[in-house]
Amino acid sequence: MAPRSRKRKAEAAMVAAAEKREKLADSGEGMEEATVVIEHCQALRLEAPELPVKVNPTKPRRGSFEVTLLRPDGSSAELWTGIKKGPPRKLKFPEPQEVVKELKKYLS
């Protein structure tokens, strides 16, 4: 049987996520279709709006979080990989500014 503290933390996280969804829904009044917001993608889209952003074009690997720039010539450049980072788990995910900085480096 799992310890009680973990269950309570999970419930608190679910409540916080629900509140965040409600807040986003309230701020997007008049929306006619469902929308998924990914913070890191928003930073990339603001920096380079002409670049299309694909989220999970194939089934993601377990425990991975990567951001890759695919160039028109078929080559790719890894902007971020969190595979070998952590614990703690939060190290697996970059700050948006870090990814944007790497993107600028490869685009210039």
Side-chain angles (χ1 to χ4, degrees), residues 15 25-26 30-31 34 53 60 68 73:
V15 169
D26 291 342
M31 291 177 60
V53 176
T68 306
D73 64 0

Side-chain angles (χ1 to χ4, degrees), residues 28-73:
E29 292 175 18
M31 291 177 60
E32 294 183 15
E33 61 185 45
T35 304
V36 175
V37 178
I38 302 174
E39 183 177 339
H40 290 79
C41 287
Q42 293 300 320
L44 291 174
R45 286 186 175 141
L46 290 173
E47 184 59 38
E50 71 282 358
L51 285 177
V53 176
K54 294 182 182 178
V55 179
N56 292 337
T58 60
K59 184 179 177 187
R61 293 172 288 162
R62 179 173 161 77
S64 70
F65 183 84
E66 295 183 324
V67 181
T68 306
L69 173 65
L70 300 175
R71 297 185 182 121
D73 64 0

Side-chain angles (χ1 to χ4, degrees), residues 49 81 88:
T81 182

Side-chain angles (χ1 to χ4, degrees), residues 1-15:
M1 190 163 146
R4 287 185 168 268
S5 62
R6 287 187 183 174
K7 185 175 180 182
R8 289 183 186 144
K9 287 180 184 177
E11 288 173 357
M14 288 174 36
V15 169

Side-chain angles (χ1 to χ4, degrees), residues 67-88:
V67 181
T68 306
L69 173 65
L70 300 175
R71 297 185 182 121
D73 64 0
S75 64
S76 64
E78 195 171 84
L79 302 178
W80 172 265
T81 182
I83 292 178
K84 297 195 184 232
K85 300 198 185 281

